Amino acid sequence: MTSTNLKITIDGTAGSAAPYEQLRAQIADRARTGKLPAGFKLPTVRGLAEELGLAANTVAKAYRALEADAVIETRGRNGTFIAAAGDAVSREAAAAAQAYADRVRRLGLTQAEALAAATDALRARYAAE
């Protein structure tokens, strides 16, 4: 299933990621790389669901995750748009990193141990995509 506007492809074969996760990851990647520029208006949940042959709830779940990650923003009846990514995403990433640093320090990990744990977690997470 492919979206003509967004050039999104959902792989429905066994073993592939959940459709909402595929959709979330592809929109996030296109926003990050500038293929979907800030201010780009996304299709409605129903419209994209029909185009991709997915349930509306699947697209809505992906949109909610993208909004929570500050990749998109909903402007009420005006629609859903790619957010101006830099500031909000950078702030959230910095806050998460600070919370991690505070937690591992309280746990008594050395800087090298904390960095190794974070590197392992990131490697595992990004390998799963």
Side-chain angles (χ1 to χ4, degrees):
M1 300 167 277
T2 303
S3 162
T4 53
N5 297 8
L6 301 177
K7 306 225 183 330
I8 290 185
T9 302
I10 303 299
D11 181 1
T13 60
S16 58
Y20 90 89
E21 177 56 27
Q22 292 179 52
L23 179 58
R24 185 212 60 77
Q26 289 180 55
I27 291 175
D29 180 61
R30 283 169 177 72
R32 184 180 41 76
T33 61
K35 290 177 184 168
L36 292 176
F40 180 87
K41 185 173 183 177
L42 293 169
T44 64
V45 167
R46 276 195 189 146
L48 187 55
E50 286 177 17
E51 193 173 338
L52 292 172
L54 298 172
N57 285 342
T58 300
V59 175
K61 185 175 182 178
Y63 275 20
R64 283 191 303 272
L66 288 162
E67 192 162 27
D69 292 342
V71 173
I72 65 172
E73 59 187 10
T74 302
R75 300 178 191 162
R77 292 188 172 271
N78 292 324
T80 303
F81 299 84
I82 298 296
D87 293 339
V89 171
S90 295
R91 279 194 308 270
E92 189 166 341
Q98 185 62 53
Y100 175 74
D102 292 344
R103 179 74 177 134
V104 295
R105 180 77 169 156
R106 282 193 306 273
L107 291 171
L109 271 65
T110 66
Q111 184 176 353
E113 291 168 332
L115 186 56
T119 300
D120 290 345
L122 288 168
R123 187 176 295 118
R125 177 63 184 107
Y126 282 94
E129 290 182 357

